[in-house]
Amino acid sequence: MAIVAIGLAGLVSTWAAPLGAAAESNSDGSGEALDEAVRRDDDVRAARKRLQQARAEAAALAQRLDRAAQRFEQARAHRVRLEREAAAVAADVDAAVEAAARARTAFHKAVVASYQQPARSLAAGKAVLESSESSEALHRAALVDRLVAGQAQRARRLAQQSQRAQRLAQQHRTIQAGMASAQRDARQAAEKLRRASDAAGQRAERLAGQLAATRRDARQRIEAQREARRRHRAARAGQAGDGPGALPPDAALAAMACPVGRPHGFSDSWLAPRSGGRAHKGVDIFASRGRPILAVADATVRRVWRNNLGGLAIDLVDDRGDRYYYAHLAAAHVSGGQRVAAGQHIADTGNSGNARSTPSHLHWQYHPGDGEAVNPFPLASTLCR
């Protein structure tokens, strides 16, 4: 896409400052009339209004993508739970079938033994032996009673074991049907998330183009007006030049960047179930494939490597010693030992590793002090929302 390194909200925030603050800065008594004229300029006010609308559009895009990401996470977790339940019931089915087989074998041995005794009923024994269904044993209890009293109890046990195996098999079939439905739901949620990400990206491109044109026109007008004001002040005061610029913020968060370029969506999936009995130890930030992945802070690349779960991955350690794990990348643009700056484009979103069946996203982990992972959702929300 055309806007790969800068998100929509970042563009809006960046462009808002020149349209507002630049027009209103450097005012003194001699320039108040000119400053007021700039503030009242119809094109500038219209540009500010469009910027406000763009902010609202960016927020709405993020909310829609967050909801789509949450629906996909819920569908994926439901599918994993059903898979685990199906595996447990399958084991119960196997055990019940084996128990029924042992009961049938014991019962038939007893029938054969009684059949071989002359004093027993040959016809009854043959009728029982020729029964192909275990459920017929109870229906022929009268014949069994003629053989030995204990055989009726064996027949009931056989029928009970067979019925239990049948119930468990039916339960397993029901769970498998639910799994199929859950898999369909997960696929549909993934497709909706892909479509939402692509649509958001296309909408962001259109807005970026419109805002870029507005910015150019407004900046040229404001700069011309500022130059006119500068000349006016120079002529009046015999000197030129503007005042000092604003100091940069010193708070740590102010120097950090969202790890995925906008538009994107995510939800709190910390400790959500994953395949193989694992729990999710990060946040999945969904975005269309190839969306830029950014360094969250001034940091050093510890390593770039591939692993079975994360696919193509990057470890960053910032200047405070905190580590950030980036996984499922489509491409990496840095190498081990390299220094990177906050907001630098270091990789592209993808679905490598065990995420091949999911929409493109960044799996992002936060390890304060290079220790155990903690829930990164609050940090992602602070930086990206």
Side-chain angles (χ1 to χ4, degrees), residues 45-297:
R45 289 194 292 188
R48 287 174 180 162
K49 184 176 180 180
R50 286 194 292 272
L51 286 170
Q52 292 172 353
Q53 293 172 344
R55 286 194 185 99
E57 180 73 18
L61 286 173
Q63 289 177 358
R64 288 199 294 273
L65 288 173
D66 286 350
R67 288 194 295 270
Q70 184 177 23
R71 287 193 294 271
F72 175 75
E73 292 285 7
Q74 291 171 346
R76 176 162 58 174
H78 181 56
R79 177 180 57 79
V80 172
R81 286 192 292 267
L82 284 178
E83 288 174 350
R84 293 177 183 175
E85 185 178 354
V89 173
D92 290 342
V93 171
D94 292 341
V97 170
E98 291 178 2
R102 290 195 298 271
R104 175 181 288 277
T105 299
F107 176 67
H108 280 192
K109 285 182 179 179
V111 173
V112 170
S114 62
Y115 173 70
Q116 290 174 344
Q117 298 179 18
R120 306 305 174 110
S121 171
L122 177 62
K126 289 181 66 178
V128 174
L129 287 173
E130 292 173 356
S131 173
S132 61
E133 298 293 333
S134 58
S135 59
E136 294 180 20
L138 288 178
H139 297 299
R140 301 190 179 189
L143 294 176
V144 175
D145 288 340
R146 296 177 189 175
L147 299 176
V148 287
Q151 291 180 26
Q153 184 177 359
R154 292 189 185 96
R156 284 191 294 272
R157 187 180 301 114
L158 170 59
Q160 291 168 357
Q161 293 287 358
S162 298
Q163 290 169 359
R164 181 173 183 272
Q166 292 169 3
R167 286 195 303 272
L168 287 172
Q170 180 59 43
Q171 182 181 356
H172 187 251
R173 287 192 292 271
T174 301
I175 293 174
Q176 286 181 318
M179 285 174 56
S181 176
Q183 289 171 347
R184 287 194 300 271
D185 291 344
R187 286 194 298 269
Q188 291 172 358
E191 182 58 30
K192 289 180 180 178
L193 181 52
R194 290 189 185 96
R195 290 198 299 267
S197 296
D198 292 343
Q202 293 168 5
R203 177 59 175 159
E205 286 183 10
R206 291 194 295 271
L207 280 174
Q210 295 169 5
L211 290 172
T214 300
R215 180 196 181 195
R216 287 192 299 270
D217 294 343
R219 181 180 289 276
Q220 290 172 0
R221 184 181 303 108
I222 291 171
E223 288 177 348
Q225 292 170 344
R226 288 181 63 188
E227 178 63 16
R229 184 179 63 186
R230 187 191 68 78
R231 291 177 180 175
H232 176 72
R233 291 176 60 190
R236 291 285 303 272
Q239 62 181 9
D242 294 325
L247 293 174
D250 57 0
L253 283 175
M256 299 177 71
C258 178
V260 179
R262 294 176 176 84
H264 57 243
F266 59 92
S267 65
D268 189 354
S269 58
W270 177 252
L271 300 184
R274 290 295 187 263
S275 61
R278 297 175 297 108
H280 197 221
K281 291 299 183 67
V283 61
D284 288 344
I285 304 177
F286 293 90
S288 57
R289 186 176 182 85
R291 183 66 53 188
I293 291 176
L294 313 176
V296 67

Side-chain angles (χ1 to χ4, degrees), residues 25-37 39 229 232-233 236:
S25 63
N26 304 311
S27 63
D28 55 21
S30 62
E32 287 181 356
L34 180 57
D35 290 338
E36 183 64 20
R39 284 193 292 270
R229 184 179 63 186
H232 176 72
R233 291 176 60 190
R236 291 285 303 272

